[in-house]
Amino acid sequence: MSSLVNTSLIVSCIAMTVIFIVLTILIYTIKILVNLIPYEEPPVPKAKAKPASPAGGGPSPTIVAAITAAMATHLGKSPQEFHITQIDPK
Amino acid sequence: MELTFGDAASKIIGSTGFSSLTFGHVVMILVACVLLYLAIWKKFEPLLLLPIGFGCLLANLPHSMMMNTDTGGLLNFFYQGVKHEILPPLIFMGVGALTDFGPLLANPSTLLLGAAAQIGVYTTLVGAVYLGFDLKEASAIGIIGGADGPTSIFIASKLAPHLLAPIAVAAYSYMSLVPLIQPPIMRWLTTPEERKIKMEQLKPISQTVKIIFPVAVTIVCCLMLPGVTPLLGMLLLGNLFRESGVTARLHETSETHLINIVTIMLALAVGSSMTAESFLKLETIKIIVLGLLAFCMATAGGVIFAKILCKLSGGKVNPLIGSAGVSAVPMAARVSQKVGAEEDRSNFLLMHAMGPNVAGVIGSAVAAGVFISLFGEVGGGADHAQVVTEAISNIVSLP
């Protein structure tokens, strides 16, 4: 029994050493990879030129869409049947 | 063929399960009900304990032909997937498809925490040998400390198939208890100041590195420990599906349908091995106790090594992330986050803990590979356990 316990202790020491060696090799593999291939910011997509707003910055498309939906519900029409051309903030 | 009423009645009564029901069956049916209760009402790893419990229930209904040893029975076919080491690697493929190795790649030193946590495996190995198990059985029990169900099943089916049921149940039960087992050990081994340490934000990693990583790990680890290739190879193939960006359908299948289907088959197969003959033994109680020891030692090993890293780095590493080295993805990382947030609500450790957490998966697979190299039958059919024991005894003169 005691020799088996001793054997298991030796197996444990050997196994932990092997694990540390394997994972240390992996650490250096990763470090080499990360150094060789550094992270690069993905190219920022070019923003489309916005059409000039008459008031120098009118309501956002989300607000226009919300107003259109509310108007369509109120008038009982389809949103495609009318078009909002101007919003007076007053 | 003529049958009297009495003959027919006695034949029908004789064919029911009740006629063959033994005390062992009744106890195992109760065990199955306990597993179902824990899964459904206590939410302990329900995805696994529920089918394991139901498989156990089916296997212990006499004449049902649902034991893993019933040739031609449904669950006997499922069990072939465990016996021939098919199902655990497929689960690993799904795990790989679900895993983001980014935090590990951003802070590769955390791989050492995944290695340190394997101390639980080896203290349990020694404990199991002390309690009378042979080296193969002790290895299969010790791997519970890896906190990785598929790895535990893989090693048990290879080295100690007769202990598969208690090992699988212990592994999955304790994995579900990680949020209860780990925090007291983490608090006991760390000071409030250490728990408050805020770690630097992880740097982003190139997608090319993420693609090369699984290939590189496969080459390095599988060349060093060929026995672990089925597990680690599938884990990293699943991850390559995820990171390559060109196999969206395979990635989606691996991380959803495949892993779910295989989980059902694997858990039912494990449940079908939970018969009275294999489970109602003193060894089962020993394995349950040793499993708890394995988890505690693994947690302590990870935290202590993280404290060492903390000292060496000048206080840049929070020791709480060490406990995540026990695998059990992502629950162990969540525990690190929770215990850290208890001390300082503005401290976010989750992503830092994911590094050692996925390192624990690789670490436990490597630990399994070492066991297979020592006691398995890689490249030969001889009884390696005996050979290794004799070789070690010859090399090192023991008192």
Side-chain angles (χ1 to χ4, degrees):
Chain A
M1 166 67 83
S2 81
S3 78
L4 208 55
V5 171
N6 284 328
T7 307
S8 68
L9 281 169
I10 292 163
V11 166
S12 300
C13 292
I14 294 169
M16 282 303 287
T17 309
V18 171
I19 291 171
F20 271 98
I21 289 171
V22 171
L23 295 188
T24 306
I25 292 170
L26 284 185
I27 289 172
Y28 283 102
T29 309
I30 293 169
K31 285 189 172 174
I32 291 168
L33 277 175
V34 171
N35 284 333
L36 286 177
I37 312 165
Y39 176 76
E40 287 173 14
E41 286 285 338
V44 181
K46 285 180 184 173
K48 285 181 183 173
K50 286 182 181 174
S53 155
S60 73
T62 315
I63 294 172
V64 175
I67 294 172
T68 307
M71 290 283 290
T73 309
H74 179 70
L75 298 172
K77 290 183 177 178
S78 161
Q80 280 80 34
E81 289 179 47
F82 60 92
H83 183 64
I84 296 174
T85 54
Q86 193 177 355
I87 298 171
D88 185 357
K90 282 178 197 172
Chain B
M1 183 182 172
E2 284 186 27
L3 280 175
T4 64
F5 178 79
D7 287 342
S10 66
K11 199 164 187 178
I12 286 175
I13 290 169
S15 70
T16 66
F18 288 107
S19 62
S20 307
L21 202 64
T22 62
F23 178 70
H25 288 133
V26 174
V27 173
M28 288 311 295
I29 288 170
L30 288 174
V31 170
C33 291
V34 169
L35 290 179
L36 291 173
Y37 169 77
L38 292 175
I40 297 166
W41 281 282
K42 293 290 176 183
K43 307 272 189 297
F44 283 5
E45 287 281 339
L47 294 178
L48 289 150
L49 283 191
L50 193 149
I52 287 177
F54 208 80
C56 171
L57 178 66
L58 294 173
N60 287 285
L61 299 174
H63 305 316
S64 64
M65 289 289 287
M66 291 296 230
M67 281 196 289
N68 66 331
T69 50
D70 287 331
T71 309
L74 176 66
L75 298 189
N76 176 256
F77 285 112
F78 289 3
Y79 188 74
Q80 299 307 312
V82 177
K83 190 177 170 186
H84 297 291
E85 299 151 19
I86 298 166
L87 300 181
L90 287 177
I91 295 251
F92 252 51
M93 185 192 283
V95 171
L98 283 163
T99 304
D100 177 13
F101 284 107
L104 173 70
L105 295 170
N107 190 3
S109 312
T110 54
L111 265 168
L112 293 175
L113 298 174
Q118 305 311 315
I119 194 77
V121 172
Y122 297 103
T123 45
T124 310
L125 168 80
V126 177
V129 167
Y130 187 76
L131 288 180
F133 291 98
D134 67 32
L135 275 172
K136 280 187 172 185
E137 292 170 336
S139 304
I141 295 165
I143 208 75
I144 296 173
D148 201 318
T151 307
S152 299
I153 292 170
F154 184 79
I155 289 293
S157 64
K158 223 171 168 67
L159 300 182
H162 55 290
L163 298 179
L164 174 67
I167 287 173
V169 170
Y172 283 119
S173 303
Y174 288 130
M175 275 166 66
S176 68
L177 292 174
V178 157
L180 297 178
I181 295 171
Q182 287 197 321
I185 300 167
M186 293 160 76
R187 288 189 204 104
W188 182 56
L189 289 173
T190 54
T191 62
E193 288 69 34
E194 285 173 333
R195 294 198 287 272
K196 282 178 190 162
I197 292 174
K198 287 188 178 173
M199 294 179 66
E200 286 173 16
Q201 193 176 357
L202 295 171
K203 56 181 184 288
I205 293 294
S206 153
Q207 190 60 28
T208 312
V209 173
K210 287 186 175 180
I211 293 169
I212 295 173
F213 174 71
V215 180
V217 176
T218 306
I219 293 169
V220 171
C221 292
C222 299
L223 277 177
M224 291 193 76
L225 301 160
V228 82
T229 307
L231 274 186
L232 215 47
M234 290 299 108
L235 174 83
L236 296 162
L237 173 63
N239 190 253
L240 194 57
F241 285 157
R242 173 196 174 94
E243 302 297 352
S244 66
V246 293
T247 51
R249 279 163 48 198
L250 301 185
H251 171 221
E252 191 192 338
T253 303
S254 306
E255 70 173 359
T256 54
H257 311 305
L258 178 72
I259 195 169
N260 290 339
I261 292 168
V262 176
T263 298
I264 293 169
M265 294 172 76
L266 180 71
L268 279 172
V270 169
S272 73
S273 68
M274 290 177 66
T275 55
E277 298 80 43
S278 69
F279 203 81
L280 297 181
K281 293 194 286 194
L282 183 62
E283 278 78 14
T284 302
I285 296 168
K286 287 181 186 174
I287 290 168
I288 301 288
V289 173
L290 286 165
L292 181 62
L293 171 76
F295 268 68
C296 294
M297 291 305 295
T299 305
V303 174
I304 290 168
F305 200 84
K307 279 172 78 90
I308 295 169
L309 283 185
C310 178
K311 295 276 182 222
L312 292 177
S313 65
K316 288 182 179 171
V317 175
N318 189 317
L320 292 178
I321 67 166
S323 65
V326 301
S327 194
V329 182
M331 204 184 291
R334 283 194 203 133
V335 171
S336 298
Q337 162 66 27
K338 185 171 166 281
V339 177
E342 281 171 9
E343 211 64 47
D344 179 355
R345 280 190 171 191
S346 64
N347 200 358
F348 295 100
L349 293 174
L350 186 64
M351 287 314 286
H352 299 287
M354 281 308 291
N357 211 186
V358 294
V361 178
I362 297 176
S364 57
V366 171
V370 174
F371 281 143
I372 294 168
S373 297
L374 288 172
F375 308 124
E377 293 179 357
V378 179
D383 187 355
H384 281 242
Q386 190 65 32
V387 172
V388 169
T389 307
E390 285 171 9
I392 290 171
S393 301
N394 289 338
I395 294 165
V396 186
S397 56
L398 299 167

